[in-house]
Amino acid sequence: MVRRAAIVAIGSELLCGDGLDTNSRWLSQRLEGLGLRVVLHLSCPDEVGAILDALRFAAERAQVLLTTGGLGPTRDDLTREAVARWAGVSLQLHEPSLERIRQLFARFGRDMPASNRVQAELPVGARVIDNEVGTASAFSLDHAGTRLYALPGVPREMRWLWENALAGELESADAAPPARRTFRTVGISESALGERLLSVEERPGVEVRYAAEERLGTIRVTLLHEDQDAVQDAWREARDLLGEHVCAVGGDTLAESLAGLLHARGLRVATAESCTGGRAAAALTALPGISRRFLAGFVTYSNRAKVRDLGVSEELLAARGAVCPEVAAAMARGARARAGADLGLGVTGVAGPGGGSSEKPVGLVHMAAAGPGDDDLRLLERRFPGDRDLVQARATAAALDLLRRAAGGGAATG
Amino acid sequence: MVRRAAIVAIGSELLCGDGLDTNSRWLSQRLEGLGLRVVLHLSCPDEVGAILDALRFAAERAQVLLTTGGLGPTRDDLTREAVARWAGVSLQLHEPSLERIRQLFARFGRDMPASNRVQAELPVGARVIDNEVGTASAFSLDHAGTRLYALPGVPREMRWLWENALAGELESADAAPPARRTFRTVGISESALGERLLSVEERPGVEVRYAAEERLGTIRVTLLHEDQDAVQDAWREARDLLGEHVCAVGGDTLAESLAGLLHARGLRVATAESCTGGRAAAALTALPGISRRFLAGFVTYSNRAKVRDLGVSEELLAARGAVCPEVAAAMARGARARAGADLGLGVTGVAGPGGGSSEKPVGLVHMAAAGPGDDDLRLLERRFPGDRDLVQARATAAALDLLRRAAGGGAATG
C-alpha cells in the first residue's frame, strides 16, 4: 500500500506573502522519490490554535506528517507546544538537546542566550533527531497512526536533516513508486502542448503532469505509469509528437542539457546579451564545472559596448537599430571571435515595459548562434508575451535552446 | 472586523514537487494589502474528493476563499465539479462563456476544440468573472457565509483577474490594515538579526516578521503595529540597531535600492564578475529603465578574459591566483575604465563545489567597488556558507551592497 504523506509549513511570513514556501516542494520531490504519495500541503501562521488545527487536518489524511518551521528560540516559535497538544502530552526539558545547543554556541566562543533553552523543551515521547547544523531540535512523534516529523524551516537545516536522517528512515522496500519519464520543453505553450499530447494522455493508465516553469522559461512534463514499458512507449510517442520542442530529458534543466552537450563535444562558448542582461551567462555559470566550457560573457547593454566589446558596426546600429537579426548575428560572431570560443550567442530585444514601438514592440527578441564552423549561423526571432521578467526568462530559455541546437542537440533520443 | 481569507491551490504537480505554488504568495500579498488576514494556504491534488475536502476545511475558517487551478479543458481540471459539490448544486452550461471561448479561438483563426466546452460548464448560481486573457472561466459563488473565487492557475491569467476584478471587489473601506514598515538587510544572519532586534520585538503590540530571501541573499523584515506612530518608533530603533545592514527600505529590493541611488546621483555603472557569473548584471538589468545607468557587464570566467577584457595583469594572476583582493580591485577598475563608467564592480571567488583549497576554501569571495573618484576603492572579503547556488546568491547581494555604499548609500534614513 502506498503511504500517504502531508506537509505542514508553519510561519506567519508565508501567509502574509513575505516568504515563499519552497521547503514543501523540496520535501515532496524526495517523498515521491521514495514512493510515498503527498496528499496535501498546508501553511499556517505562528499561532498555537492554527497549528493544532492544521496538524489535526493533516494527520487524519496521512500516515507520515512533516512540519517545517516554528522550532527556533523566539516567541513566535510554537510548533513544540502545538505538537504536544496534538498528542495530548506536555513539554519537558530534554537535557542532551540543551547540552548540544550549549556546545554549538561554545564552538563559536559564545555563551548560550537564555532564550535558546526553549529549543530543548520537547513533547513527552518525542524522539530527538540529531541536528548538527543548527540549534533547532528536530524530533519525531507517533500519535493515532501518524508519525510526525518536526523539522526546522531554514532550508539548509531542513535539507541536512532529510539527507542525514529522514531519507533513510522513510525508505521502505515495500513501497514501489510508479515508473516515470521526465522531460522539459521550450517554445510551445502549455495548452498547445496538451493538445499535441492528447493521444499520450489517452493511453490507459498513463498520467501526464505539466508544470510551467516561468523563471526557467520551460515546461516540465512527467509521464507516469505503474509499468516501466508502458512509460517507455508513452515517452517514445511524446518525443515523436514534440520533436525539437523537447530540450532536456531525465530531470535535467535546459541549461544542464546544454552543458552536457558542450562537455560531451568539447565545445567552448561565449555569450553576448543585451535584453537578457546576463541571465544566459548566469544560467550557465550556475552549473558546477562549467568553467572549462564557458569562456566569457558580455552584457552589452549600451550600443557603445556593442561596438567596443563585440565589434558590431556603428553603421549597422545607426541604420537598423540595436534590435534586428543582423545585430544579433554580429553580437554572436563578435563574442565567439573575441573569446576564441567555438560557439557564440547573441541576444538583443525589447524587454519592456518601455522602449517598444509599432515596428519593434515590447517582447520582440532576436537571437543568433554562431559556430561551431566559422560560417555556421542560426537565427531566431520571437515575440514573447508577458512582463519584463517573463520576457527575459523566455528569451533566455529560447537563446539557450538555440545554442543547444547549434551544439548539435536536435530532437531528444533514448 | 478583519476579514479572514484562505487560498486553495489545486494541482497534482504541486504535490509531487514538479511545480512550485507562487500564486498563493502573490495573492496573499494583495489580500493583506487590502486589509484581509490570510489564515491558511492549502494545496491539493486534481481529485474531486481531495478538492472538496480542502474547500470544506478552508471555507470553515475564512469568509473569502480563493482557489487557483483546475479550470482548464483537460481531464484533470476538476475545480468546477468540486465547487458544485461543495455548494450542493449541479453544473450547467453557461452560454455566454461558451461564446467567449469560441471567439477567443476564432481570433487566432481556429475552431474551438470540443474539449474546451467543459470550461463553460459552471456551478448553478456562479457569477462569471470576465477573463480576457485566457479560455478559463473564472467565477465566484457564495455558500454558507463564504464567498469563493475560482481562478485559473496560470499566473498571468490569475494576476489579470485579480487586477481587473477581484482587487476592486474585495477592497472595503471598513477594513483597516495594520500600519507597517518593511526593510531589507544584508550581511547579517537571521538569528543574529533576531538577537539584535530583541528590544524592538519587546515593544508592546509590535509584531516583527522575518523572511529570509535565499535567492536574493537578503532578509526582509516587516514591523507591524495598529498605530502608525508606534511603527515609526520601532523602525527608528531597528534602523539605529542595524546601521549599514539595512540595505533597502519600503519594500524595495537591494537592486532597486541601488538603482534608485544611481538614478538620483546620475551615476553609471559597469560590472566585472567571475564567480557570480552574470548574476549581478542580471539583477540590475531586471529593473526597467536601467539602461541609462548600466553601461556594460563583463563575465570574465577565464583568466584570459580577465586579462583581455579588463586589463588585469597576467603577472598578478600568476603570482596571486584569480581569487584575491588585488584581482577584485583590478577587475573593478578595469570594468570602470573600459566602459567609461563612474562605478566599477569586481567579484572573484570560489563558488564550489570544486576548486577550493585550504588557503582559498569554497565560499571565499573577494569584492571591490571602484569609483566614483578615480582613487576611490572599497574592498570586501567574505566567506559564505552553503552550496554553489547559495554562495552565488549571497556574493551577488554583498557585491550589490558594496556598490550601493560606493554610490553613497550608507545607513538608511527616513
Side-chain angles (χ1 to χ4, degrees), chain B residues 76 97 153-154 157 203 205 215-216 253 269 309 336 364 375 388 409:
Chain B
D76 60 358
S97 292
V154 178
E157 292 185 42
R203 284 171 167 260
R215 287 197 64 87
L216 291 175
T253 62
V269 68
D309 299 328
R336 176 174 179 270
L364 177 70
D375 295 330
R388 182 179 178 88

Side-chain angles (χ1 to χ4, degrees), chain A residues 248-321:
Chain A
V249 296
D252 274 2
T253 62
L254 170 52
E256 286 166 343
S257 171
L258 167 58
L261 263 176
L262 298 176
H263 286 306
R265 308 204 169 167
L267 295 169
R268 292 163 314 159
V269 68
T271 57
E273 300 175 73
S274 186
C275 67
T276 48
R279 278 206 192 201
L284 280 170
T285 54
L287 306 173
I290 198 69
S291 54
R292 281 170 294 141
R293 300 291 145 220
F294 180 73
L295 299 182
F298 300 88
V299 184
T300 51
Y301 224 57
S302 61
N303 279 352
R304 224 181 111 207
K306 290 182 184 73
V307 173
R308 182 192 59 222
D309 299 329
L310 301 169
V312 178
S313 116
E314 288 190 59
E315 293 70 33
L316 173 62
L317 288 166
R320 300 288 319 272

Side-chain angles (χ1 to χ4, degrees), chain A residues 14-233:
Chain A
L14 303 174
L15 295 161
C16 66
D18 278 355
L20 178 65
D21 172 30
T22 56
N23 286 339
S24 295
R25 178 175 62 164
W26 194 92
L27 286 169
S28 289
Q29 288 169 344
R30 270 79 200 163
L31 288 162
E32 292 264 330
L34 293 181
L36 285 86
R37 186 158 189 97
V38 180
V39 296
L40 69 92
H41 293 173
L42 186 50
S43 298
C44 65
D46 296 308
E47 295 159 18
V48 173
I51 302 170
L52 184 56
D53 204 24
L55 294 180
R56 286 180 177 147
F57 181 78
E60 279 168 21
R61 287 154 182 83
Q63 289 93 50
V64 175
L65 168 52
L66 273 55
T67 71
T68 58
L71 295 182
T74 61
R75 287 155 197 235
D76 60 358
D77 288 303
L78 298 165
T79 301
R80 291 173 293 263
E81 188 179 334
V83 170
R85 286 212 210 169
W86 168 69
V89 298
S90 57
L91 289 170
Q92 77 179 13
L93 186 70
H94 187 253
E95 284 291 351
S97 292
L98 186 63
E99 187 51 32
R100 182 186 65 80
I101 298 167
R102 277 212 189 94
Q103 283 175 4
L104 261 180
F105 278 95
R107 206 192 292 166
F108 296 99
R110 293 172 52 199
D111 286 336
M112 187 191 84
S115 64
N116 287 81
R117 184 185 159 94
V118 297
Q119 291 188 287
E121 288 176 4
L122 303 179
V124 171
R127 187 169 50 85
V128 171
I129 304 170
D130 285 334
N131 176 5
E132 295 180 9
V133 292
T135 56
S137 294
F139 61 89
S140 76
L141 186 65
D142 293 336
H143 175 62
T146 298
R147 171 161 294 182
L148 175 146
Y149 292 92
L151 302 173
V154 177
R156 196 172 58 91
E157 291 186 42
M158 181 279 292
R159 291 176 193 173
W160 189 92
L161 284 155
W162 173 272
E163 303 288 357
N164 289 280
L166 272 69
E169 206 171 305
L170 287 169
E171 200 167 17
S172 163
D174 59 0
R180 62 173 67 203
R181 288 294 303 238
T182 299
F183 58 93
R184 284 184 160 90
T185 64
V186 71
I188 183 170
S189 73
E190 196 171 349
S191 60
L193 193 57
E195 285 186 26
R196 198 81 79 89
L197 293 184
L198 210 57
S199 59
V200 177
E201 290 190 21
E202 280 169 353
R203 285 172 167 257
V206 167
E207 186 184 347
V208 187
R209 292 177 183 165
Y210 304 96
E213 304 172 307
E214 285 204 340
R215 287 197 64 85
L216 291 175
T218 48
I219 297 173
R220 179 172 158 150
V221 185
T222 307
L223 308 173
L224 297 106
H225 193 287
E226 286 190 5
D227 179 63
Q228 180 66 48
D229 290 341
V231 166
Q232 186 63 16
D233 290 345

Side-chain angles (χ1 to χ4, degrees), chain B residues 222-243:
Chain B
T222 307
L223 308 174
L224 298 108
H225 193 285
E226 285 190 7
D227 179 64
Q228 180 66 50
D229 290 342
V231 166
Q232 186 63 18
D233 290 345
W235 153 240
R236 284 206 195 92
E237 184 179 353
R239 186 190 62 197
D240 293 344
L241 290 167
L242 295 172

Side-chain angles (χ1 to χ4, degrees), chain A residues 357-379:
Chain A
S357 65
S358 57
E359 198 200 343
K360 296 178 179 178
V362 167
L364 176 70
V365 181
H366 287 283
M367 291 156 272
D374 283 345
D375 296 330
D376 294 344
L377 184 71
R378 283 163 186 257
L379 294 174

Side-chain angles (χ1 to χ4, degrees), chain B residues 358-395:
Chain B
S358 57
E359 198 200 343
K360 297 178 179 178
V362 167
L364 177 70
V365 180
H366 287 283
M367 291 155 272
D374 284 345
D375 295 330
D376 294 344
L377 184 71
R378 282 163 187 256
L379 294 173
L380 180 64
E381 172 182 345
R382 292 290 303 276
R383 184 164 168 206
F384 299 106
D387 61 15
R388 182 179 178 88
D389 183 53
L390 217 49
V391 168
Q392 288 188 322
R394 288 171 172 175

